Each structure stands twice: as C-alpha cells, then as structure tokens.
Amino acid sequence: MTRSIAFLDLKAQQARIAPALRARLETVLGHCQFVLGPEVGELEGRLASFCGAGHCVALSSGTDALQIAMMAEGIGPGDAVFLPAFTYTATAEVPLVLGATPIFVDVDPRSFQIDVAHLEARIEAVRAAGSLRPAAIVGVDLFGQPADWPALRRIAGENGLFLLDDCAQSFGGSLCGARLGREADATAISFFPSKPLGGYGDGGALLTDDADRARLYRSLRSHGEGETRYEVLRTGMNGRLDTLQAAVLLAKLDVFEAELARRAQIALAYDRGLSALLDVPARVPDSVSAWAVYAVLLPDAARRDALQAGLRERGVPTAIYYPRPLHLQPAYRPHHDGVVLPVSEDLATRILALPIQPELQDDEVAYVIEQVRAVLA
Ligand SMILES: *Cc1c(COP(=O)(O)O)cnc(C)c1O
C-alpha cells in the first residue's frame, strides 16, 4: 500500500510540545515585551550553556548572524572571503552584500565539507594575484556534520584570517566530544523552521567566547547603539530575534536532545538498510551529526533522478541539496574567477536527501528503505 511520508512534520512536533509551548506564548502575551523581552536573554543563556560558549547573541536569522559577524570585523570592498561552493546561498550572499568578494572552494567528495587542501591553494592564489586582501574563512558545517575545524583553525591562524563557523544546519552536532559552537572565532546558527532547532519563523544567533565581539554583535543588532539607545556608535541594522520566537525556541529546546537522538537512530536504520545499494553518508571522524540532512549518492544523474521520481510515486518525498553549486548560480557567476570546482559540480548531479525528521515512526523509516530498494531493484 502506498503511504505518504512527511519530509518535515511541524504539526506532529507541535502537538507533542503543545502545553509547554502555549504556556511560553501566554507569558509573552501577558508581559507584551515583544522586542528583547526576558525570553530572549533566557534563550541566549540556554544556548550558550548548551554548547559551552561564553556568549550568545540572538538575531533575526542565520543570514543576519553571518552578516553581523562580518560587519563586526569590518569586512567589505577589497576583502576576499573563502567559503565552500557546495552550501546554501546565504553563505556567499553575505560577503557580496557587504561589498566583499566570495572565493569559492571545492568540497570533499565523501564528507561534502570544505576541502582544506583546496582552501590553502585558493588563499595562496589570491595572495599571489594581489588584488584582494584575504580576510576571512567561512567554514560550513554541512548537513549536520562538522567541517575539519582543527585544519581550518591552523589555516586561519597561519594566514591571519577571521574564522567564522556557518553552523546554520548543524547546531547540536559535535566534534571530539564538544558541541559545535566554539570551533571558530564566532559561530552562526539558524532557527529557520526546517533546521534541527527550528522556530516558527526566521531567527538565528551568534555564539562566541570573545566578550568584545559579543558586545559588538549586540550593538550591531540594534542599529549600532552605544550605552544608551539614542547614541549611535556605528552603522548597524535591525537584527534582533523576536521575543515570541525565543519563547517557541525555549519550548523546543526542552525536547531538542531527544530529537537529535531520534534523528541519529533514523540515520543508523537507513545506513543498515541501504549501504549495500548506494553511498550512504560518510561520517566525519570523531563527530556526531545533528542529522539536518541524510544525503545519499547515486552513480549518475539519470539514476538519481529516476530514484527521486520513483520515490515520489511511492509517497516518499526527497530533496536535492544542492542542485547547483554556488559558483555556477547566475547571481554569483560574475563574481567567480572561473576556477572549475569538479567535486561540487559532480555532487550536484548525484546527491539526494531522504526524509530524516524526529517525527518519523519506525514503520515509516522501514517503508522508506523498502521503497528505495524497490525503485533501485
Ligand atoms: C539555512 C542556512 C543559512 C541561513 O539561515 P537563515 O536563518 O535561513 O537566514 C545559512 N547558511 C546555511 C549553510 C544554511 O543552511
């Protein structure tokens, strides 16, 4: 019998946390401090202690978190910002909005994370060309797994670059036993509804151990204000997280660890059921994934597209992250130096994400596995 599997099921999750969620929302409706109300500070404290970071500043989105982090470093025209080509558009959009130049770096064919050898070659080439100043590296923790942070820290240190962790997809994941949030000079996270810790609208945050940076982030999210609200010290933006979103996220944080554990169970079930048939996700050594995405690889585009179509017919939704690497996007191509990034270009044709979300039941996971087998048979 054909079933209908949900790629994301926010209604089921909402039903599970309804009492706590409603109580949280009622409190905000009672005090009416809709901007920077007490829930925002409470959430910042909870998020910082969740990952052991010194400071957390809640913001309007993950994209704004990346932007505020770069504004705080003064990144702008003439600056080169190194980032992977195989990621969500926001990673490259932010340097361009600030007038800086994204330098696209290829990724590892199995972990999908930024290729550190290629990164070093790209930094060297930008230095040799002499027209841009290497300013920052954005390491993206793709799909829930960490980038190679020990290598990225070494490269950033040797080159004097600001190191930013785009952890929008991967908050809750860990490396060498430590939750992500302290691997770089600053870490940006997102609460977009489909992320592992998703709100009911846009939201994000910056984590850092650096008190001066945290102070700057707070100023930048409120129009560059100083000690008093009407003292403007710098050009900032309106980048605050709404109190209502903080209230939603506080209710969700209570079940977050259990949801991460459920995602990991589902990933393991997929591995067991599918590893003989296709390339299941390779694990980054010494890491725990937040399992934002479970992406498999097919031998070629035709077989990927056939699997996606076959699964759709059988009630199993899938997604392609990402159908086009960023350096080939119409908006970014003019800013790209023309270097071919073969791994990113190849992955875009062969990758497919299966449903992985904490509300999936065991029989649904088994159904997905059965249907993949049936289509590939
Ligand atoms: C989702 C995402 C962002 C942007 O986060 P928003 O909260 O949607 O602005 C940035 N980078 C990556 C890698 C993402 O997946």
Side-chain angles (χ1 to χ4, degrees):
M1 198 187 75
T2 299
R3 305 181 54 164
S4 180
I5 304 295
F7 200 78
L8 178 67
D9 192 347
L10 294 176
K11 275 193 179 157
Q13 186 202 44
Q14 194 187 128
R16 213 154 38 76
I17 63 170
L21 181 67
R22 278 171 208 283
R24 282 285 185 182
L25 292 175
E26 283 297 330
T27 304
V28 179
L29 294 176
H31 65 53
C32 289
Q33 295 177 56
F34 296 120
V35 175
L36 297 186
E39 285 75 9
V40 175
E42 186 183 349
L43 177 70
E44 290 175 339
R46 293 262 309 267
L47 292 172
S49 59
F50 183 87
C51 64
H55 308 272
C56 173
V57 181
L59 301 167
S60 39
S61 70
T63 305
D64 289 344
L66 294 171
Q67 180 165 330
I68 284 175
M70 289 193 208
M71 287 170 79
E73 307 302 317
I75 289 169
D79 288 334
V81 177
F82 299 85
L83 50 92
F86 197 67
T87 175
Y88 183 62
T89 177
T91 317
E93 173 185 24
V94 168
L96 283 165
V97 164
L98 297 176
T101 303
I103 304 294
F104 295 101
V105 179
D106 214 349
V107 296
D108 180 87
R110 286 304 285 124
S111 73
F112 314 142
Q113 310 294 327
I114 192 166
D115 176 336
V116 293
H118 192 234
L119 170 64
E120 291 194 274
R122 293 291 264 158
I123 295 171
E124 199 50 49
V126 167
R127 274 202 202 295
S131 59
L132 293 170
R133 181 184 76 98
I137 299 169
V138 187
V140 176
D141 301 310
L142 200 74
F143 297 165
Q145 297 207 94
D148 184 351
W149 288 107
L152 293 178
R153 276 194 298 273
R154 176 183 58 75
I155 296 167
E158 286 169 3
N159 289 279
L161 306 181
F162 172 60
L163 186 59
L164 178 58
D165 181 355
D166 181 345
C167 189
Q169 301 178 0
S170 304
F171 188 62
S174 63
L175 181 60
C176 298
R179 282 250 149 85
L180 297 178
R182 302 186 67 195
E183 301 294 333
D185 296 318
T187 297
I189 61 179
S190 165
F191 309 125
F192 187 80
S194 62
K195 311 281 170 157
L197 181 61
Y200 289 167
D202 283 306
L206 277 167
L207 300 155
T208 183
D209 283 340
D210 181 336
D212 292 332
R213 283 198 169 100
R215 209 170 304 120
L216 211 43
Y217 299 160
R218 288 183 196 283
S219 170
L220 287 167
R221 78 173 169 183
S222 286
H223 308 287
E225 74 181 18
E227 291 304 313
T228 64
R229 177 168 304 171
Y230 296 106
E231 179 188 32
V232 184
L233 295 181
R234 51 186 69 82
T235 304
M237 59 193 280
N238 181 349
R240 297 173 293 245
L241 181 77
D242 288 339
T243 310
L244 281 166
Q245 285 306 333
V248 170
L249 289 161
L250 282 165
K252 290 220 185 182
L253 253 183
D254 292 336
V255 298
F256 186 45
E257 303 245 19
E259 290 187 341
L260 288 169
R262 179 61 187 152
R263 286 174 185 268
Q265 267 179 355
I266 297 168
L268 205 59
Y270 281 158
D271 283 351
R272 291 194 177 122
L274 299 174
S275 59
L277 297 175
L278 36 68
D279 283 338
V280 298
R283 305 301 196 267
V284 170
D286 300 318
S287 77
V288 177
S289 180
W291 290 114
V293 170
Y294 185 95
V296 299
L297 285 179
L298 280 296
D300 53 46
R303 274 177 277 191
R304 190 270 308 271
D305 295 347
L307 178 59
Q308 183 171 45
L311 288 175
R312 190 184 302 121
E313 269 171 32
R314 293 156 181 267
V316 178
T318 57
I320 297 174
Y321 308 116
Y322 294 92
R324 198 188 283 203
L326 294 184
H327 65 295
L328 301 183
Q329 289 287 358
Y332 303 145
R333 203 193 274 268
H335 303 281
H336 177 55
D337 53 18
V339 168
V340 175
L341 304 175
V343 178
S344 299
E345 291 169 26
D346 174 56
L347 289 176
T349 69
R350 301 197 289 122
I351 201 159
L352 189 68
L354 301 180
I356 185 161
Q357 45 111 351
E359 310 302 330
L360 280 183
Q361 302 301 306
D362 287 344
D363 61 321
E364 295 180 306
V365 174
Y367 178 80
V368 172
I369 293 168
E370 250 171 65
Q371 303 316 309
V372 172
R373 288 191 176 153
V375 175
L376 291 179

